[in-house]
Amino acid sequence: MAGNVLEFTDDNFRAQVLESELPVLVDFWAPWCGPCRMIAPAIEELASDYAGRVLVGKVNTDDNPQVASSLGISAIPTIILFKNGHPVERMMGLQQKARMSAVIDKHL
């Protein structure tokens, strides 16, 4: 993953996302997904913009089906903001950076 963007997996999701003291923005994606690739630069910018205040990472749903299934991910990209171990916002489809920033700001 680029820059400050973390890679979440079936193995580390609980520790890095659900047990995080910081809010965590998670991008559920797959390499073959065009809209997922289009949203990637905005995710990288958010990781830099919110460094130290919010963790930002991605889950490759092809490689990590358990996490995606447990959260009912039925379409990608799906972006979920977690706070205190719970999903507090869910955005499906291609999102603008401004909308994702507004969602993050609402929960800081």
Side-chain angles (χ1 to χ4, degrees):
M1 298 292 140
N4 296 321
V5 178
L6 303 170
E7 182 177 358
F8 301 129
T9 65
D10 286 343
D11 293 332
N12 72 14
F13 193 82
R14 173 172 291 288
Q16 291 195 6
V17 176
L18 302 181
E19 296 174 1
S20 174
E21 293 185 11
L22 295 174
V24 185
L25 187 74
V26 182
D27 173 17
F28 291 87
W29 72 291
W32 49 264
C33 168
C36 298
R37 290 193 307 272
M38 291 170 61
I39 204 172
I43 296 294
E44 292 171 14
E45 289 174 21
L46 290 168
S48 294
D49 294 351
Y50 289 93
R53 297 184 294 151
V54 176
L55 298 179
V56 176
K58 300 170 79 107
V59 172
N60 180 329
T61 57
D62 287 349
D63 295 341
N64 301 282
Q66 291 174 335
V67 169
S69 176
S70 71
L71 292 166
I73 304 298
S74 59
I76 52 174
T78 293
I79 314 297
I80 301 178
L81 181 67
F82 290 83
K83 189 171 183 182
N84 299 320
H86 301 285
V88 293
E89 296 276 350
R90 182 182 289 239
M91 298 167 276
M92 293 176 60
L94 188 58
Q95 301 295 318
Q96 298 297 317
K97 180 184 173 191
R99 172 140 195 275
M100 292 185 286
S101 291
V103 165
I104 292 170
D105 291 342
K106 182 170 118 177
H107 292 282
L108 283 180

